[in-house]
Amino acid sequence: MNFDLDREHVELNQLLKLVGLADSGGQGKAIVASGDVTVDGVVELRKTAKIRAGQIVRAGDAEIRVLGVEGGGAPGSSRSDGLPVGVVDHV
């Protein structure tokens, strides 16, 4: 799945929440603590690691490609496909 990042970074536990892999930031922290999350192929145990555009996060069988938004779009602005910024595109 793709995630369009609308700012400089997002914390790893929050990313898991935003893409629907965790119901809360706390659950996202637990998933990271389990050792089941990698960032760019390396196990990541820092729950609030800063994830930036261009990185690939894997949690279990899910792969999240973090994409930058051209022009640094503000929350609520539209992407080129008409979806609001920050909406996950399940591919």
Side-chain angles (χ1 to χ4, degrees):
M1 70 183 79
N2 293 334
F3 178 79
D4 287 321
L5 186 63
D6 62 356
R7 59 198 75 142
E8 182 180 334
H9 69 270
V10 63
E11 292 181 353
L12 180 55
N13 65 307
Q14 291 298 317
L15 175 65
L16 298 177
K17 176 183 166 186
L18 291 169
V19 300
L21 296 178
D23 292 330
S24 67
Q27 186 181 25
K29 287 180 179 182
I31 293 169
V32 175
S34 75
D36 195 33
V37 177
T38 63
V39 177
D40 295 333
V42 178
V43 173
E44 180 58 79
L45 297 174
R46 295 174 299 153
K47 300 165 189 80
T48 59
K50 294 177 180 176
I51 304 302
R52 293 181 165 80
Q55 293 189 291
I56 296 176
V57 176
R58 288 189 177 88
D61 294 333
E63 179 180 284
I64 307 158
R65 291 174 300 280
V66 181
L67 308 175
V69 177
E70 287 187 298
S77 64
S78 292
R79 305 181 327 184
S80 61
D81 59 7
L83 293 173
V85 172
V87 170
V88 177
D89 176 21
H90 295 277
V91 178

